[in-house]
């Protein structure tokens, strides 16, 4: 991930190098002309990326006055370390967070929300404001961008379950594969790749096993186009779910079987009902019908043959 380019002048509200200004009047949250811009952003909270880009009072103040107000605000914050003053600085420099989060987010998977990056970047901005030393004559925007980017990357690493060493080795393998395929003009074998990485075959296969953890797909990724879009979770089959086609076939088979049983003779129907639905043995059915067990066996065989014939005719 490359270093962010210098932020545009308007991204930080136009304030450049923060220097001591002995003639500047400390800014008060109630009477300063820029307070309206701060409170406008405060209604949405510190995490919003659409906070006002610069302090303004309806166009009545020019850029020099705005810059002087920021300098005075820094001086007041350096003297009192008041949380309200810090929050006003956070709101003023909030566009920096959106800018850095947008740059970092361009190289991340689609399931990573920019709003989450902005939320992480806000903590980096707060940390930068609290640790910044205006008397050094440095430009705050340059310093803050590095702190914001670092906070975003730290949060991303904290959410990653794959060790950084494995990520680094995975990048090494990808670069080695690209070099080999460009040189050989074909797919490289495991032996050639292991030789390129100066590893044994066993070490390469162990590395492949570790890299399997890096190949993860977000279940909320969308597939398809237009109204036919569906998430990946919706495409995964559920082995425990009932197959509607199988359920329909089973229900139709039961209906046909019931109709075929109804067309049997009374004695055959009794034998089938007692044997398959009441779970009686052939001997018990013989006692019910007053016949021998061998006779019940004959009746059962005849009934099954008749049922098979009737079902075959229906199909």
């Amino acid at each position: 991930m490359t270093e962010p380019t210098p932020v545009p002048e308007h991204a930080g509200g136009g304030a450049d190098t923060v220097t001591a200004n002995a003639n500047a009047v400390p800014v008060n949250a109630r009477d300063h002309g820029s307070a309206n811009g701060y409170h406008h952003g405060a209604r949405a909270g510190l995490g919003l990326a659409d906070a006002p880009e610069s302090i303004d009072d309806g166009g009545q103040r020019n850029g020099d006055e705005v810059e002087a107000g920021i300098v005075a605000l820094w001086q007041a914050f350096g003297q009192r370390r008041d949380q309200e003053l810090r929050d006003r600085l956070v709101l003023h420099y909030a566009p920096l967070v959106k800018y850095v989060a947008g740059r970092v987010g361009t190289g991340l998977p689609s399931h990573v929300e920019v709003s989450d990056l902005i939320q992480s970047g806000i903590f980096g901005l707060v940390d930068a404001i609290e640790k910044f030393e205006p008397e050094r004559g440095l430009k705050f925007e340059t310093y803050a961008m590095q702190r914001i980017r670092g906070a975003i990357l730290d949060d991303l690493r904290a959410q990653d379950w794959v060790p950084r060493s494995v990520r680094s080795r995975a990048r090494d393998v990808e670069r080695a594969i690209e070099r080999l395929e460009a040189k050989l003009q074909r797919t490289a074998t495991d032996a050639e790749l292991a030789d390129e990485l100066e590893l044994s075959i066993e070490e390469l296969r162990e590395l492949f096993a570790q890299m399997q953890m890096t190949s993860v797909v977000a279940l909320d990724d969308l597939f398809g186009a237009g109204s036919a879009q569906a998430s990946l979770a919706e495409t995964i089959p559920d082995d425990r779910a009932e197959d509607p086609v199988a359920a329909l076939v089973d229900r139709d088979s039961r209906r046909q079987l019931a109709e075929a049983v109804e067309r049997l003779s009374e004695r055959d129907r009794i034998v089938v009902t007692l044997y398959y639905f009441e779970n009686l043995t052939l001997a018990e059915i013989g006692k019910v019908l007053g016949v021998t067990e061998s006779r019940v066996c004959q009746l059962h065989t005849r009934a099954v043959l008749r049922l098979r014939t009737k079902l075959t005719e229906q199909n």
Side-chain angles (χ1 to χ4, degrees), residues 167-220:
R167 292 285 188 191
S168 177
R169 295 293 289 167
R171 289 191 294 268
D172 292 340
V173 171
E174 291 174 359
R175 287 192 288 264
I177 292 175
E178 292 176 358
R179 291 195 304 269
L180 282 174
E181 292 184 350
K183 181 173 61 176
L184 301 174
Q185 296 298 312
R186 58 175 174 81
T187 301
T189 64
D190 288 350
E192 293 170 337
L193 181 58
D195 184 63
E196 178 72 16
L197 294 171
E198 297 181 355
L199 300 174
S200 65
I201 296 294
E202 292 74 15
E203 292 174 335
L204 179 63
R205 290 174 180 172
E206 182 179 354
L207 181 58
F208 281 153
Q210 295 176 355
M211 290 172 55
Q212 289 180 352
M213 295 186 297
T214 65
S215 302
V216 179
V217 180
L219 291 179
D220 55 355

Side-chain angles (χ1 to χ4, degrees), residues 9-242:
E9 286 296 326
H10 68 275
D16 290 333
T17 303
V18 180
T19 58
N21 188 346
N23 298 323
V25 180
V27 180
N28 185 277
R30 298 182 180 274
D31 58 13
H32 192 275
S34 64
N36 292 334
Y38 284 123
H39 293 302
H40 173 75
R43 286 195 296 267
L46 299 183
L48 277 182
D50 56 351
E53 293 193 3
S54 63
I55 303 177
D56 65 84
D57 57 357
Q60 297 178 4
R61 297 170 58 85
N62 57 35
D64 293 338
E65 291 174 329
V66 171
E67 183 175 347
I70 292 298
V71 172
L73 184 59
W74 273 109
Q75 289 180 342
F77 177 70
Q79 294 171 1
R80 299 201 303 268
R81 291 289 170 175
D82 184 72
Q83 182 175 354
E84 181 181 356
L85 297 177
R86 186 201 67 184
D87 292 347
R88 292 173 61 184
L89 289 170
V90 169
L91 289 174
H92 176 72
Y93 291 108
L96 279 176
V97 179
K98 182 177 180 180
Y99 175 80
V100 176
R103 293 294 303 273
V104 174
T106 56
L108 298 177
S110 59
H111 67 272
V112 178
E113 298 290 341
V114 177
S115 59
D116 295 336
L117 304 182
I118 292 175
Q119 188 67 30
S120 302
I122 285 293
F123 291 102
L125 176 60
V126 172
D127 185 61
I129 291 174
E130 293 181 343
K131 295 181 178 180
F132 183 62
E133 299 177 0
E135 60 273 10
R136 293 192 174 187
L138 301 176
K139 188 175 181 180
F140 174 75
E141 286 86 343
T142 303
Y143 171 76
M145 286 173 62
Q146 299 300 323
R147 305 289 300 190
I148 293 169
R149 183 175 181 273
I152 293 175
L153 295 180
D154 288 343
D155 189 58
L156 289 173
R157 293 188 184 108
Q159 298 176 23
D160 191 3
W161 60 91
V162 180
R164 295 179 61 182
S165 60
V166 176
R167 292 285 188 191
S168 177
R169 295 293 289 167
R171 289 191 294 268
D172 292 340
V173 171
E174 291 174 359
R175 287 192 288 264
I177 292 175
E178 292 176 358
R179 291 195 304 269
L180 282 174
E181 292 184 350
K183 181 173 61 176
L184 301 174
Q185 296 298 312
R186 58 175 174 81
T187 301
T189 64
D190 288 350
E192 293 170 337
L193 181 58
D195 184 63
E196 178 72 16
L197 294 171
E198 297 181 355
L199 300 174
S200 65
I201 296 294
E202 292 74 15
E203 292 174 335
L204 179 63
R205 290 174 180 172
E206 182 179 354
L207 181 58
F208 281 153
Q210 295 176 355
M211 290 172 55
Q212 289 180 352
M213 295 186 297
T214 65
S215 302
V216 179
V217 180
L219 291 179
D220 55 355
D221 279 351
L222 295 180
F223 293 85
S227 59
Q229 284 188 343
S231 66
L232 177 60
E234 296 175 347
T235 66
I236 299 177
D238 185 0
D239 296 333
R240 296 174 296 179
E242 182 181 18

